[in-house]
């Protein structure tokens, strides 16, 4: 691998030009772009390469077409031309890292970023729980925006059978599962678990599932199964209490309570960004989504030398997700241009026709 670690005593900071925090698709795409320009870097991830995708349930498919989530100009091919699964995409990311000889410091959370005496950044990582400091001229935060499941804020939410993640579908066979949520993740989970032999119910606060926010290939089936009572229809309700046996759902219309039996409760209502590192680094966060402040032409934040890339730019997205991998590729070009002293007026041509506000259906 060609970004070998310089040797250093334990107390001495190791040095590089750019530290990239986050080896998701955008962090990795940026690493390849820096390699192509001959800019020295080190790439860290708190988990493995593509950590965010690694916690999706097995065999989950991307909603986006393969060409929109491919990175670094490497084609993403599947044997049947279908949209890539979690497994295919993780394999693809490993292949990209291998092809371009990108060394990723995995299981290496970055826990602090501070200015040092020579006006560089001291970036503290904790491999194996032991602090290790890197000195860098610039830092890029490609940290994503889905660190924790959003919470309902109701009694019983911390019981062990309540989960913000869909696990392998096999484990739900023959069980009563209540899913809270009404957008793609919740609807896809409801359909997959129904087909895997679970007894599924769906609680959603709207009076019906939000058609505009559900992929067209999921919609007819969920509507049909809800109408036929094969998936329990609790639209127009809010969970107010969870016990070890059931969930109390309150009607939005009249406030009445219904108790729904549940062996498992899945709260698939979205995810929140961890703001700790951005706050430590002095990045200003604005509006209800606590979006980091940055210059859209360069991706540099209000802290000179610290850049932001990928879905991290959007903060904690509300239920209407607008920032996806597929409309973030131009961040890479902007950062490389700024670091290498080139200037670009707008998104590069190869991405301009791909910029959109929703993943492709
Ligand atoms: C079920 C599901 C389906 C989806 N389908 C699509 C889709 O079809 N199309 C689409 O565009 N998007 C989709 N998404 C969203 C998708 O996850 C993101 O678009 C994509 O992962 C964003 O890439 P990223 O590189 O910006 O961030 P991420 O992939 O989130 O990568 C961020 C990385 O930063 C690391 N990190 C965070 N903090 C630290 C730290 N302090 N130190 C070190 N490392 C850190 C994380 O471990 C992670 O690996 C989907 C999401 C879900 C849950």
């Amino acid at each position: 691998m060609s970004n070998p670690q310089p040797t250093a005593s334990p107390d001495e900071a190791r040095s590089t030009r750019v530290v990239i925090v986050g080896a998701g698709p955008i962090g990795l795409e940026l690493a390849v772009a820096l390699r192509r320009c001959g800019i020295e870097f080190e790439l860290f991830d708190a988990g493995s390469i593509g950590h965010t995708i690694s916690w999706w349930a097995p065999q989950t498919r991307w909603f986006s077409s393969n060409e929109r989530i491919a990175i670094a100009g490497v084609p993403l091919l599947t044997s049947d031309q279908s949209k890539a699964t979690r497994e295919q995409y993780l394999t693809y990311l490993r292949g990209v890292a291998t092809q371009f000889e990108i060394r990723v410091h995995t299981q290496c959370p970055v826990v602090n970023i501070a200015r040092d005496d020579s006006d560089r950044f001291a970036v503290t990582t904790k491999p194996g729980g032991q602090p290790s400091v890197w000195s860098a001229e610039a830092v890029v935060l490609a940290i994503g925006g889905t660190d924790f499941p959003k919470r309902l804020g109701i009694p019983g939410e911390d019981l062990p059978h309540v989960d913000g993640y869909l696990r392998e579908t096999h484990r739900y066979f023959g069980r009563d599962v209540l899913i809270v949520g009404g957008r793609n993740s919740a609807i896809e989970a409801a359909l997959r678990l129904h087909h895997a032999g679970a007894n599924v119910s769906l609680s959603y606060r709207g009076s019906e599932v939000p058609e505009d926010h559900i992929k067209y290939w999921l919609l007819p089936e969920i509507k049909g199964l809800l109408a036929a009572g094969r998936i329990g229809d609790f639209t127009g309700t809010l969970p107010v209490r969870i016990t070890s046996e059931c969930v109390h759902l309150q009607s939005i219309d009249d406030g009445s309570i219904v108790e729904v039996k549940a062996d498992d409760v899945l709260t698939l209502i979205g995810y929140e960004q961890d703001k700790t590192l951005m706050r430590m680094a002095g990045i200003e966060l604005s509006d209800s989504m606590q979006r980091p402040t940055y210059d859209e032409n360069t991706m540099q934040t209000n802290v000179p030398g610290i850049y932001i890339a990928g879905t991290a730019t959007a903060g904690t997205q509300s239920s209407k997700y607008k920032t996806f991998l597929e409309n973030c590729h131009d961040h890479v070009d902007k950062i490389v241009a700024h670091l290498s002293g080139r200037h670009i007026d707008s998104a590069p041509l190869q991405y301009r026709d791909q910029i959109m506000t929703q993943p492709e259906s």
Side-chain angles (χ1 to χ4, degrees), residues 109 123 142 156 161 166 209 222 230 239 290-291 305 325 334 358:
V123 179
H161 67 306
L166 174 66
V209 290
I222 189 69
R230 294 177 66 198
Q290 293 281 283
R291 226 188 301 245
L325 166 57
K334 290 174 179 177
Q358 288 283 321

Side-chain angles (χ1 to χ4, degrees), residues 10 40 44 55 64 69 94 101 142 192 201 203 215 217 230 243 247 253 260 262 277 282 291 295 322 325 333 337 357:
E40 189 193 25
F44 297 90
W55 55 249
S64 303
I69 55 171
R94 296 199 301 273
E101 300 188 335
R192 289 184 70 181
S201 299
S203 165
K215 297 300 157 200
W217 61 89
R230 294 177 66 198
T243 71
V247 181
D253 274 349
V260 178
L277 199 57
R291 226 188 301 245
D295 176 339
K322 289 201 170 131
L325 166 57
D333 302 77
T357 55

Side-chain angles (χ1 to χ4, degrees), residues 22 25-26 45-46 51-52 56 62-64 110 142-143 311 324-326:
I26 288 293
D45 201 288
H51 174 71
T52 298
W56 298 2
W62 287 79
F63 298 130
S64 303
V110 170
I143 54 178
T311 49
F324 300 92
L325 166 57
E326 62 170 69

Side-chain angles (χ1 to χ4, degrees), residues 20-28 44-57 60-65 68-69 83 89 93 105 107-112 124-125 141-147 184-185 188 215 271 274 277 309-313 317 321 323-329 331 358-360:
I20 306 171
V21 187
I26 288 293
L28 196 53
F44 297 90
D45 201 288
S48 47
I49 298 183
H51 174 71
T52 298
I53 295 117
S54 73
W55 55 249
W56 298 2
T60 300
R61 276 185 200 282
W62 287 79
F63 298 130
S64 303
S65 299
R68 294 183 185 279
I69 55 171
K83 294 177 181 186
Y89 197 74
L93 291 184
H105 299 264
Q107 314 301 331
C108 241
V110 170
V111 295
N112 198 11
T124 308
T125 72
L141 300 178
I143 54 178
T146 52
D147 298 290
N184 283 310
S185 292
E188 190 176 7
K215 297 300 157 200
Y271 299 94
D274 184 347
L277 199 57
T311 49
T313 55
Q317 300 198 59
Y321 278 72
T323 306
F324 300 92
L325 166 57
E326 62 170 69
N327 57 14
C328 289
H329 297 287
H331 301 175
Q358 288 283 321
E360 192 189 61

Side-chain angles (χ1 to χ4, degrees), residues 25-44:
I26 288 293
L28 196 53
E29 186 162 46
L30 176 64
V32 174
L34 293 178
R35 168 67 38 79
R36 284 173 168 150
C37 291
I39 296 177
E40 189 193 25
F41 66 89
E42 297 292 334
L43 171 57
F44 297 90

Side-chain angles (χ1 to χ4, degrees), residues 181-202:
R183 294 176 190 257
N184 283 310
S185 292
I187 300 302
E188 190 176 7
L191 294 174
R192 289 184 70 181
L193 295 194
H194 169 75
H195 292 302
N199 175 30
V200 180
S201 299
L202 185 74

